[in-house]
Amino acid sequence: MKKALVLMLLLGCGDLAAADKIPARIEAIAQMLTPTQRMKLLDLLNKGRDDSLRSLPGVGETRLAAIKQARPFNDITEVTQVPGIGEGTFIDFVKHAKAGFPKK
């Protein structure tokens, strides 16, 4: 049952938005990270220097500026509310975190 719910959320069926307008499927994707990975990504988003933020997939000057302007984030899922960062980019961020935050 739980796997079916996660699959539904990832596929966009039963899109239950949280009070802060973060789609449930974004939270389901974020849940793929360990608590340590999630905290490290949150720390990077909130405190990372320019070079560290540019190490995230798809982050160039425009997204870098947008992330810095939107700080602080209370949760990693909030980054999807930044202009230019959607579900696809968020998935790339999660994959990057799961891979141990490799440098480009």
Side-chain angles (χ1 to χ4, degrees):
M1 177 70 175
K2 185 175 179 181
K3 286 183 181 180
L5 178 59
V6 170
L7 183 59
M8 283 177 31
L9 294 173
L10 289 173
L11 295 176
C13 308
D15 184 15
L16 307 171
D20 58 355
K21 300 183 183 176
I22 301 293
R25 68 180 175 272
I26 296 295
E27 181 56 39
I29 293 164
Q31 291 297 322
M32 297 170 77
L33 296 174
T34 67
T36 301
Q37 292 167 332
R38 195 170 174 138
M39 189 57 72
K40 187 171 179 180
L41 180 56
L42 181 62
D43 190 55
L44 174 62
L45 293 170
N46 279 326
K47 301 175 187 171
R49 296 182 319 197
D50 292 3
D51 58 330
S52 296
L53 286 168
R54 278 192 212 97
S55 74
L56 290 169
V59 174
E61 293 304 313
T62 302
R63 285 183 178 158
L64 171 72
I67 289 169
K68 288 172 66 174
Q69 184 176 356
R71 290 173 170 171
F73 301 101
N74 295 314
D75 187 76
I76 61 171
T77 58
E78 292 174 9
V79 75
T80 61
Q81 295 179 332
V82 173
I85 299 179
E87 185 175 330
T89 302
F90 184 69
I91 289 170
D92 290 341
F93 288 2
V94 168
K95 288 179 183 177
H96 185 76
K98 289 188 75 57
F101 298 92
K103 300 290 181 193
K104 287 185 181 177

